[in-house]
Amino acid sequence: MMLKRMKLSTKVYLLIGLALAFLPFINDSRWFMFLMIQIFVFAIFAMSYDLLLGYTGIVSFGHAMFFGVGAYSAAIVMDRMEASFVSFLLGTLVAVLIGGFISFLAGMLTLKLKSHYYAMLTLALAGMFLYIAERWRSVTGGNDGFTFRIPELPGFLEEHRNFVIYLFCLLAMILLFFGMKRITESPLGRVLVGIRENDQRVESLGYRIMPYKVLISVISGMVASLSGVLYAISIRFVDTSVFDIQVTLDALMMTIIGGVGTLTGPIIGSAIINFSHHYLSDLANIHWIFQRWMILFGAIFILAVIFFPNGIVGTIQNKLAKRKTKKKQYDTTEKSLRKEGA
Amino acid sequence: MSESILKLESINTYIDQFHILQKVNFEVKKGELTVLLGRNGAGKTTTLRTIMGLNPASAGTVTFKGENITKGAPYQIANKGIGYVPEDQGIFYDLTVGENMRVAMRHENDETKERLDWSLDLFPDLKRFWKKPAGQLSGGQKQMLAIARSFINETDLILIDEPSKGLAPVIVEAVIDAIEKIKDRTTVVLVEQNFSMAKRLGEKYYILDNGMTMHHGNMKDLEQNEELKRKYLGIG
Amino acid sequence: MELIINLSINGIATGMLIFLIASGLTLIFGLMSVLNFAHGGLFVWGAYSGVFFFSLTGSFWIGILCAIVTGLILGLLTEVFIIRPVYGNHIRQILITLGLMLVLSELIKVVFGPNVLPAPVPDYLKGSWLIGDITIIKYRMFIILVGALIFCLMFFTLRYSKIGLIVRAGVMNKEMVQALGINIKKIFIFVFMVGSALAAFAGALFAPSAGAIYSELGMEFGIYAFIVVIIGGMGSIPGSLVAALLVGLANTFTAYYVPILSMVVTMLLMLIVLLFRPQGLFNVSGVSNK
């Protein structure tokens, strides 16, 4: 019954999710599982980024701080307490609360100003967090970071721990995907898109845009913190690199390449970027340019902004939409012709 | 005196997706003061902005002194000899009165000096406050600065957008006097809502409504025509 | 006492360097409302080309000159190829200049090598003076002098020269400047090139005082410059100077007395300004922050 009421796209997404769940049975090598987990984690992170960039038109340069706060909160709580499910839940809760609080603060301070204020403030805040993580050695272990234990799984599941983490991250991605999709398709989401397109008009329609912007900033910060938690438990280690600007840039790139303003875009972007990270570092032995792949990264980025602003998913959607309207036009002309004939 | 200096033919202008000017036909004869009349939002300001190239027309042609300037950049159009006084006067607030004039000067030669002296005689206040930041001037003085600035270079045509807006009646009188003197030197196109001012200054009129030129003729005839005034200007 | 004077000199020198970068940024923003996040990249290119040509020719001044030329060329290329396609769209500007920033800092590693590059002080600026009990490092005084000189030069150019008036008028009302017959595109290129050259110049001056340079410096100083522009007020040169000196001094003093706060203090300054005076300390009429 439920299946019947679902939209086609929802069925397709669920089917893909199901297929991904069975992927480890085909290839269960460690590096592959690890790569896939990274893709899921960063897909969540990039989707949270797109909530800001694509759906509301807010540029954040410090999204890494939510990722980092999530990773450190979970790691520190699980390290200090006993590695149990309680500590895991507590760590997650702490991560989400701190992430939400910071984004609330940043949003209240700068979202009524021009876009670069938010970008600058988040960049500065992220820099501050990196600095604190480096200096507050007693808690964070400084640059060396620290490893921690995650709760043991009952029975035979412990033997297939990677698989469980794989499924867990996949499930998280799917749930968060549908959750955020729900938000973007709600009336709230439509107001947000209105803000992106023309905030004065939305304001003149009687909406106060600030609360919406702050709300989305908080949701985005919380989801990003969650992805940080998942990242930490997937590698059972945390160091200051989680606050690195590179983490933010990755999210930006995934969103732009995949498709701004679509939630599937960041997922595809995450897959592309993670795969290329993996293979480009192999290519470094072949040619020096691959060692300096940041140049490529930057150049692709510039070209994408100029020539390809809708990303992969956006471009495909536009094409499909065009074809649909064409088809519709064709249908109606055909109908009217038939009518005339009759 | 019947030589045409400016001609707009079937001008269409869009601002974003809004079709503001739908069909504007408009001709200015050399030496005549032409007034553009119409309700708020009729497209008067946009017409001036289209002439200046600030909101370029998507269709139609603008001809100035026999030359097609439709696709010209604002600075090129200005340099052909059109002065512009926008609705908000476009004063540079942090610059002094003198600096405002200097920014506009294309050459700093004797001819410019002559024109400057003439306009300072016309507006003695500008001379008095020469070194004062323009933002501190009164509304009327700002309007005078904007007008004086618009013909500091060799100018064949001046476009003035609602010079009486927001000014006290006494000041409006002074502005009318000044424009009367200016129109002896160059051709003037005036956008005006204040009909009493328009009828004192204007020789020709054009009425715009919904982005179209609806009516035109001699100002004197319009004064008599109560129906037109009621229909398009909401007066009479 | 000696300590306080030395720290002050240090802070003012740092402030002057930040001012040089920020002044270009603020003009570019005020006039063109372009957010150039690659501005710090020009700083680091200036630093590297200064050091490189200094060691190549043996002349510190040729090094400086080459840095300025590098800044001018990169500024021209950036304006034409990167900024022009994205005029009027802040989000795309932010993204594209960020991409450029990555390319610029990575290209440094390709051209000059990935390692930290030592940057010597020219012999005649080495050492220090002893005035009473106070030792004053020559090179830092040199930076302060040059910075003050550039500020005066900029200030008077903007105040009295025709081009300066046009630039200031453009910051207030771009459209009117065009309607007065001025080709604003030419002014844009000019300002962009001068702003870039200033950043490169600051880099070349900075290198010897730090003793060694690395490619990540661009990001660091770019962020400082942006913070200074926000604190000082978009489009204001005096605002940039005051804010830069404030940031420079606050940094140096906290780095000495409360090292743990040194990074945080700049952010705190920005936070306070954002809270109480979001338009910045000095506000140019016509430049909005909304």
Side-chain angles (χ1 to χ4, degrees), chain A residues 185-322:
Chain A
E185 283 165 1
S186 70
L188 167 69
R190 282 197 286 278
V191 175
L192 292 175
V193 172
I195 291 173
R196 186 190 67 195
E197 298 302 329
N198 186 344
D199 50 0
Q200 270 126 18
R201 198 186 313 161
V202 175
E203 238 173 352
S204 67
L205 285 175
Y207 288 99
R208 288 185 52 227
I209 58 175
M210 257 298 275
Y212 291 100
K213 282 186 167 183
V214 173
L215 179 63
I216 205 69
S217 159
V218 170
I219 294 174
S220 168
M222 287 176 154
V223 175
S225 307
L226 271 181
S227 69
V229 173
L230 292 177
Y231 178 78
I233 49 175
S234 73
I235 60 172
R236 275 153 279 167
F237 167 75
V238 65
D239 70 356
T240 53
S241 71
V242 288
F243 281 119
D244 201 291
I245 179 95
Q246 186 59 47
V247 175
T248 304
L249 294 181
D250 276 343
L252 199 59
M253 189 78 170
M254 288 164 189
T255 313
I256 300 258
I257 295 280
V260 183
T262 65
L263 286 171
T264 36
I267 299 178
I268 291 171
S270 169
I272 292 174
I273 299 287
N274 275 303
F275 269 108
S276 27
H277 268 303
H278 184 81
Y279 287 105
L280 281 178
S281 42
D282 283 351
L283 287 173
N285 306 325
I286 302 169
H287 193 277
W288 61 265
I289 190 82
F290 292 109
Q291 210 171 0
R292 300 266 80 90
W293 58 271
M294 278 288 275
I295 295 182
L296 279 177
F297 185 95
I300 292 173
F301 195 84
I302 291 172
L303 295 175
V305 173
I306 296 182
F307 298 109
F308 203 46
N310 293 324
I312 294 173
V313 175
T315 310
I316 293 173
Q317 275 181 352
N318 283 354
K319 285 239 166 87
L320 284 180
K322 254 186 208 156

Side-chain angles (χ1 to χ4, degrees), chain C residues 51-59:
Chain C
V51 170
F52 177 78
F53 286 104
F54 177 21
S55 70
L56 198 72
T57 60
S59 160

Side-chain angles (χ1 to χ4, degrees), chain B residues 36 65 69 91 95 125 193-194 210:
Chain B
L36 274 179
K65 290 195 286 186
I69 58 164
I91 296 294
L95 302 189
D125 276 4
Q193 297 261 44
N194 179 341
N210 289 326

Side-chain angles (χ1 to χ4, degrees), chain A residues 78 83-88 149-153 158 161 233:
Chain A
M78 278 193 264
S84 67
F85 282 101
V86 179
S87 68
F88 166 68
R149 286 153 51 88
I150 56 172
E152 272 189 27
L153 294 162
E158 184 60 28
R161 184 161 161 151
I233 49 175

Side-chain angles (χ1 to χ4, degrees), chain A residues 81-153:
Chain A
M81 293 174 59
E82 239 170 82
S84 67
F85 282 101
V86 179
S87 68
F88 166 68
L89 285 176
L90 188 67
T92 311
L93 193 68
V94 170
V96 171
L97 285 181
I98 298 180
F101 179 69
I102 304 165
S103 51
F104 176 73
L105 214 65
M108 288 302 276
L109 276 174
T110 54
L111 282 178
K112 57 179 185 291
L113 304 167
K114 269 187 185 161
S115 46
H116 56 277
Y117 282 92
Y118 190 81
M120 276 311 298
L121 189 78
T122 47
L123 180 63
L125 283 176
M128 236 156 83
F129 274 102
L130 175 61
Y131 184 82
I132 293 169
E134 277 169 359
R135 296 300 161 98
W136 200 8
R137 293 180 156 275
S138 55
V139 176
T140 64
N143 279 327
D144 303 329
F146 61 91
T147 55
F148 58 94
R149 286 153 51 88
I150 56 172
E152 272 189 27
L153 294 162

Side-chain angles (χ1 to χ4, degrees), chain C residues 32-289:
Chain C
M32 304 152 76
S33 58
V34 161
L35 301 159
N36 182 12
F37 274 96
H39 204 66
L42 295 153
F43 173 84
V44 78
W45 268 88
Y48 270 87
S49 34
V51 170
F52 177 78
F53 286 104
F54 177 21
S55 70
L56 198 72
T57 60
S59 160
F60 178 62
W61 295 104
I62 293 183
I64 297 264
L65 196 72
C66 289
I68 292 174
V69 172
T70 308
L72 288 172
I73 295 173
L74 286 176
L76 178 70
L77 295 177
T78 307
E79 207 278 339
V80 174
F81 292 109
I82 304 291
I83 305 294
R84 248 185 229 173
V86 292
Y87 265 129
N89 186 333
H90 274 169
I91 290 174
R92 287 177 75 196
Q93 279 165 14
I94 292 175
L95 299 179
I96 201 168
T97 53
L98 188 75
L100 179 67
M101 180 73 206
L102 296 180
V103 173
L104 284 178
S105 5
E106 281 300 302
L107 268 181
I108 285 277
K109 294 183 192 161
V110 175
V111 176
F112 299 101
N115 300 326
V116 171
L117 196 67
V121 177
D123 288 336
Y124 45 87
L125 289 172
K126 264 185 193 149
S128 48
W129 291 297
L130 213 68
I131 302 171
D133 301 337
I134 304 166
T135 22
I136 294 174
I137 296 167
K138 278 187 191 171
Y139 192 79
R140 296 223 169 105
M141 281 313 281
F142 168 73
I143 290 181
I144 294 175
L145 277 178
V146 174
L149 203 72
I150 297 282
F151 172 74
C152 292
L153 203 72
M154 278 184 81
F155 188 76
F156 285 104
T157 311
L158 279 171
R159 183 133 207 124
Y160 298 110
S161 76
K162 181 79 181 272
I163 179 94
L165 289 180
I166 292 175
V167 170
R168 279 167 67 207
V171 169
M172 286 172 248
N173 189 340
K174 242 178 302 200
E175 210 167 61
M176 197 58 222
V177 167
Q178 298 181 72
L180 291 173
I182 295 155
N183 184 353
I184 200 117
K185 272 192 191 149
K186 266 192 198 160
I187 309 283
F188 280 1
I189 298 184
F190 171 78
V191 167
F192 208 92
M193 286 173 73
V194 170
S196 306
L198 276 170
F201 177 61
L205 278 184
F206 167 81
S209 78
I213 48 175
Y214 45 93
S215 67
E216 284 80 9
L217 276 172
M219 201 54 136
E220 253 171 64
F221 274 77
I223 294 174
Y224 275 132
F226 255 101
I227 293 176
V228 159
V229 169
I230 288 177
I231 294 178
M234 297 274 176
S236 164
I237 296 287
S240 293
L241 180 72
V242 171
L245 292 180
L246 208 65
V247 167
L249 285 169
N251 254 331
T252 324
F253 275 90
T254 42
Y256 186 83
Y257 289 108
V258 220
I260 193 105
L261 278 180
S262 71
M263 177 76 192
V264 185
V265 73
T266 322
M267 310 301 166
L268 281 179
L269 276 175
M270 182 168 77
L271 271 182
I272 292 166
V273 169
L274 281 177
L275 267 179
F276 297 106
R277 216 181 136 77
Q279 73 274 37
L281 300 177
F282 294 64
N283 192 26
V284 178
S285 50
V287 182
S288 86
N289 51 6

